[in-house]
Amino acid sequence: MAELDRLSDLIGRIYDAGTDPDAWRPVLTDICRWTGGEVAQVLVLEATAAAPFFTAAVGYDPAAHARYLRDYALEDPRLPAWRRLPPTVHRCHQVVDAAWFDRQDFGAFLDENGCRWAMGAIDPDFDGVAGMSVRRPRRAGPFTLEEAHRFDLLVPHIRRALALAQRLDGLAGRARLAEDVLDRFDRAVVLLAASGRVVHVNAMADRLFESGRLQLRGNRLDSADPAEAAALRGLIAATLDPRPGGDAVKLLSGTAGAPLIASGCRLPDRRPTAVATPQAVAALFLSPIGASRDDLGRVLPGLFGLSRAEARLAVALHDGFSLSEIAGQLQLSRETLRSQLRSVFDKTGTRRQGTLIRLLTDLARESRLARRSSGQRQL
């Protein structure tokens, strides 16, 4: 039972090493103890790659390994012999005449480095070298069938752990690429988990936090301004709500800095939860106040709660039309337009037409939120 417990524990730690490269060395040390070896190595080298995708070794001098690759790897008869055999464990004296080594300088090199006897398993279908080996010095004698069997019990698990490491490396590479893309955005991006906790911020968002414009408290997006903090909470709740109809745009005009437009959207769920926890399920986008001129009619209702008619009036005033001109083109009375304008003043927090125009000009100049290609001006 003690032997089974040791084996079970070792297999479990092999899979742990599949997610943590630093765990391979202690695992290989225990593989040596389990199999009677003194040197162990795992190597994955693609045929077209200049460097191994993965390599880990214990008991092996890196300088000696470099010399082996330079002077002996091409003439080592064990490698082609192992590649012709099934990917199970084979002892070196099974596949190559043991006396061959004694007639070569290669044999002296192996003796110098405690690697005279070896057993290994190489994947013959891999385009390159994907294998693992355990070695020991001449004095220890050849590996026995029992020791080869012990190693053979571990090999399938080592292969699966390496496959897991390759998959995680691929996912990490894609994640790094995505993060680089986000860092090139001209607005702040904050990724949220389902709980509302922040799981990633891009470079622009980092600058917002460093400036004190926004804050992270307990991994949650926050603001020193109570009204702005409440607006953020509402936006986050609406963005995380899978049901349609949430208010996905907020104007953040706190006292800590320039006003911001904040919007949110849910992200498609395509990644396995076990690979990335907590997983980002939504994104917030924050940028300085503004919108391209042709976007005002679409942005204003979300920012200030303007009706369609009120937004149309605000855009026409921004475009330089007088109330009389607007009334004539829309065939509305000036009194109707004045009533709409009073409502626009109230909702935007302005009191005069000049102040309203300056606010709209700010929006039109700075923001790139929700761009549209249409340039037609319509009343």
Side-chain angles (χ1 to χ4, degrees):
M1 184 61 70
E3 287 292 282
L4 288 177
D5 289 341
R6 282 183 61 199
L7 176 61
S8 177
D9 177 69
L10 183 52
I11 290 172
R13 291 194 299 111
I14 286 171
Y15 285 109
D16 289 340
T19 62
D20 179 9
D22 293 335
W24 275 106
R25 284 183 58 82
V27 166
L28 290 176
T29 297
D30 285 343
I31 288 175
C32 283
R33 294 194 185 104
W34 175 255
T35 60
E38 295 187 18
V39 176
Q41 183 183 27
V42 176
L43 174 67
V44 180
L45 174 63
E46 295 177 349
T48 58
F53 159 73
F54 179 80
T55 182
V58 293
Y60 204 43
D61 181 1
H65 182 55
R67 183 184 168 196
Y68 169 78
L69 293 176
R70 183 184 68 244
D71 298 337
Y72 301 112
L74 292 178
E75 66 179 70
D76 187 345
R78 297 171 299 179
L79 296 180
W82 275 325
R83 294 192 70 144
R84 289 192 297 268
L85 295 167
T88 54
V89 172
H90 303 280
R91 296 171 294 165
C92 63
H93 61 281
Q94 287 180 299
V95 298
V96 174
D97 179 9
W100 180 88
F101 293 101
D102 296 329
R103 298 191 297 268
Q104 309 292 327
D105 175 57
F106 183 29
F109 167 80
L110 293 176
D111 285 341
E112 288 170 12
N113 292 282
C115 297
R116 176 61 176 80
W117 305 106
M119 56 181 176
I122 293 181
D123 186 347
D125 296 324
F126 186 78
D127 187 15
V129 177
M132 54 218 74
S133 63
V134 177
R135 308 161 209 169
R136 66 188 182 196
R138 178 187 289 270
R139 57 177 165 74
F143 284 98
T144 66
L145 283 172
E146 173 59 25
E147 289 166 335
H149 174 66
R150 282 171 164 254
F151 191 26
D152 210 22
L153 291 173
L154 303 178
V155 165
H157 304 289
I158 296 172
R159 286 204 172 94
R160 293 187 193 112
L162 289 173
L164 175 61
Q166 285 181 294
R167 172 147 179 81
L168 291 178
D169 184 72
L171 290 172
R174 289 196 291 274
R176 287 190 294 271
L177 177 61
E179 290 173 5
D180 183 61
V181 170
L182 291 177
D183 283 342
R184 295 172 187 270
F185 275 28
D186 61 354
R187 68 190 64 189
V189 181
V190 179
L191 301 185
L192 303 174
S195 64
R197 290 184 176 272
V198 173
V199 296
H200 180 74
V201 298
N202 73 342
M204 287 287 285
D206 263 335
R207 288 197 279 274
L208 282 179
F209 298 133
E210 290 169 1
S211 69
R213 179 63 184 81
L214 293 176
Q215 301 174 356
L216 274 179
R217 293 182 181 172
N219 285 332
R220 293 181 183 274
L221 193 59
D222 203 350
S223 170
D225 183 281
E228 187 168 83
L232 275 172
R233 288 193 295 272
L235 174 63
I236 291 170
T239 302
L240 293 175
D241 188 345
R243 296 171 297 180
D247 185 4
V249 181
K250 293 287 184 181
L251 176 63
L252 306 179
S253 53
T255 58
L260 300 171
I261 292 176
S263 60
C265 69
R266 290 187 64 83
L267 300 175
D269 184 4
R270 294 195 181 110
R271 291 179 298 165
T273 303
V275 171
T277 303
Q279 179 177 331
V281 301
L284 297 184
F285 304 91
L286 305 106
S287 57
I289 270 191
S292 67
R293 182 165 72 80
D294 299 312
D295 290 334
L296 285 175
R298 185 169 68 88
V299 172
L300 291 175
L303 287 177
F304 301 109
L306 270 60
S307 69
R308 182 177 177 181
E310 291 164 352
R312 181 177 57 188
L313 171 62
V315 171
L317 290 170
H318 170 263
D319 286 348
F321 292 95
S322 68
L323 281 180
S324 296
E325 290 172 326
I326 298 169
Q329 293 191 43
L330 295 179
Q331 297 183 345
L332 294 173
S333 70
R334 286 173 57 87
E335 190 57 45
T336 297
L337 291 182
R338 285 196 179 97
S339 175
Q340 291 178 1
L341 183 57
R342 284 193 294 271
S343 179
V344 171
F345 285 157
D346 184 62
K347 292 178 179 179
T348 59
T350 57
R351 292 292 178 267
R352 297 177 181 173
Q353 193 167 313
T355 307
L356 173 64
I357 297 299
R358 284 196 296 273
L359 172 63
L360 298 178
T361 299
D362 234 4
L363 286 165
R365 184 181 65 247
E366 297 179 21
S367 174
R368 296 175 178 83
L369 176 68
R371 287 181 178 175
R372 286 187 175 180
S373 59
S374 171
Q376 292 283 323
R377 179 172 64 199
Q378 296 180 349
L379 293 179

